[in-house]
Amino acid sequence: MSEGLFGAIEAGGTKFRVAIARGRDVIADTTIPTRTPHETLTATIEFLRTWEDIRSVGIACFGPLDLDPASPSYGSITSTPKRLWEGTPVLAWVRDALGIPGAIDIDVGGAALGEWRWGAARGLDHFVYVTVGTGIGAGLFIDGAVHHGTGHPEMGHIAMERVAGDKYPGRCPFHGACLEGLASGPAIEERWGMSAGQLSDRPEVWELEATYLARALRTFTYVAAPQRVVLGGGVMQHGGLLDLVRMKLEEQLAGYVTSETLRGPLEEYVVAPAHGQDAGLIGAIALAMEAANA
Ligand code: ADP
Ligand code: ZN
C-alpha cells in the first residue's frame, strides 16, 4: 500500500530536509540545519508531529550507519567525523518519538531506492546510483534490492590511479587521494582555488574530473556488472560533464565488453537521476512506504 501520509527525512551533514508526502507527492516540507542531534532531531520530530495519521517514516541518512538488522545499535550513526553525532540512534529516536514504523538507509541507498521506484532506474534489477557533491557516495542496487553487505558499501573511498602530472594530494581525512579525496566538489575547489561552480570555462578542470569519475565507473562496472549507472550530485550540474564522463568511460573500457548493455553508445548506460537534487528526499518516501508494508 502506498496511500496515505508518510514522513520523509533526508538527513544530511549540513541540513535535514523533512517532508510530509501523500503517496509519493510532497505536500509540506521544511529544512532544518544540522546542529546537535538533540536540536535537529527535536525540530524534525516537531514538524512531523503537526500532522496526524502519518503511517510511517523513512530516513535517508548520512553515515556511516549501523545497518546490521541483528545489531543492538541498528539505525545508529557509527564512527563519523561529525563527533557530536557519533552513536546517535537516529532511527530509534525518530520512530519511538512518533510511535510509528520506520526505516532507515544510507543516503545513497535511499536515493537508489527512489530512482528505482520512480526514476531513472525503473524496472532494473542491478544498477549503481552515484552522487558527486560535497562527498562522493554510491548506492549499489543488486538483484532487486539495495545491497548492504555487512553495513553498506563505501564506493566513494575506492583507491584511484592518479592522472600523470596531478600533484594534488587529495583531501579525504582517511585516505588522502581516494575517489572522494580527488574528485569531490571540495577537492575541485581546493585543487583549482575556486569553487566548482566558478570553473565552468576551464576545460582542463572538467577533463581531469571526468577522467577520475570514468575510472571509478570502470571499477564499478567491472565489480558489479550493473545495467545502468545513475550519476548525480551538485558537481554533475556542470554542463557537458555527463557526456565527457561517458566518452572517457568508453575509452577506459577499451572495447572489453562484458554485457550487451556496454555494446552500444553509453547514453543509456550512464544517465542523470530523474529526481536530481531531490533523489534523497524521494528515497526517504520510498523507505517510509517499505516500513509501512513491512
Ligand atoms: P551534498 O553532497 O552536500 O548533498 P551537492 O550534491 O549539492 O551537495 O553538491 C555540492 C557540490 O556541488 C559543491 O562542492 C559545489 O561546488 C558543487 N556544484 C554546485 N553547482 C555546481 C555547478 N554548476 N558545477 C559544478 N559543481 C557545482
Ligand atoms: Zn576516502
Side-chain angles (χ1 to χ4, degrees):
M1 279 250 300
S2 44
E3 281 121 46
L5 294 185
F6 300 96
I9 304 169
E10 181 190 4
T14 53
K15 62 181 191 296
F16 275 39
R17 291 175 71 197
V18 188
I20 298 290
R22 186 184 302 286
R24 57 165 281 195
D25 301 319
V26 171
I27 57 170
D29 70 298
T30 187
T31 299
I32 297 163
T34 308
R35 297 214 176 92
T36 66
H38 188 267
E39 274 176 281
T40 304
L41 290 174
T42 302
T44 297
I45 289 159
E46 252 168 39
F47 174 81
L48 292 174
R49 257 205 194 120
T50 55
W51 294 77
E52 283 171 20
D53 304 329
I54 302 179
R55 294 182 57 197
S56 57
V57 60
I59 310 171
C61 189
F62 73 91
L65 290 179
D66 182 343
L67 291 179
D68 173 4
S71 162
S73 54
Y74 177 75
S76 298
I77 291 172
T78 60
S79 60
T80 170
K82 293 181 80 67
R83 278 289 143 78
L84 284 171
W85 285 80
E86 203 166 300
T88 303
V90 179
L91 175 63
W93 193 327
V94 172
R95 195 180 50 192
D96 296 352
L98 296 172
I100 54 178
I104 193 167
D105 209 321
I106 192 77
D107 40 20
V108 285
L113 188 67
E115 289 292 327
W116 177 69
R117 278 198 74 151
W118 301 303
R122 239 172 304 184
L124 300 184
D125 295 320
H126 322 286
F127 72 96
V128 186
Y129 171 89
V130 184
T131 181
V132 187
T134 310
I136 298 185
L140 191 55
F141 192 95
I142 298 290
D143 284 338
V146 178
H147 174 75
H148 287 129
T150 56
H152 48 84
E154 285 285 1
M155 294 158 71
H157 293 272
I158 58 168
M160 288 301 290
E161 179 194 348
R162 252 177 205 289
V163 168
D166 180 18
K167 298 281 189 310
Y168 175 64
R171 56 171 291 126
C172 174
F174 298 93
H175 319 105
C178 65
L179 171 60
E180 177 174 300
L182 287 175
S184 64
I188 297 174
E189 176 166 353
E190 195 173 68
R191 179 192 268 111
W192 301 97
M194 235 183 282
S195 81
Q198 292 170 307
L199 289 161
S200 53
D201 57 353
R202 298 271 300 275
E204 67 278 21
V205 171
W206 306 104
E207 178 78 17
L208 186 67
E209 180 69 9
T211 301
Y212 282 128
L213 294 178
R215 284 182 181 180
L217 297 197
R218 168 183 166 187
T219 298
F220 300 165
T221 296
Y222 288 153
V223 168
Q227 293 158 293
R228 189 165 295 162
V229 178
V230 180
L231 183 56
V235 171
M236 294 310 300
Q237 290 177 60
H238 174 72
L241 180 56
L242 187 63
D243 261 333
L244 206 51
V245 171
R246 288 177 181 134
M247 250 173 55
K248 299 267 176 205
L249 178 60
E250 196 142 25
E251 282 170 29
Q252 284 283 321
L253 297 175
Y256 181 66
V257 167
T258 53
S259 71
E260 201 51 46
T261 322
L262 300 179
R263 228 170 268 282
L266 296 184
E267 276 80 12
E268 290 187 12
Y269 181 61
V270 184
V271 305
H275 298 116
Q277 296 294 83
D278 291 331
L281 194 67
I282 301 283
I285 299 171
L287 284 165
M289 288 181 184
E290 289 206 336
N293 294 326

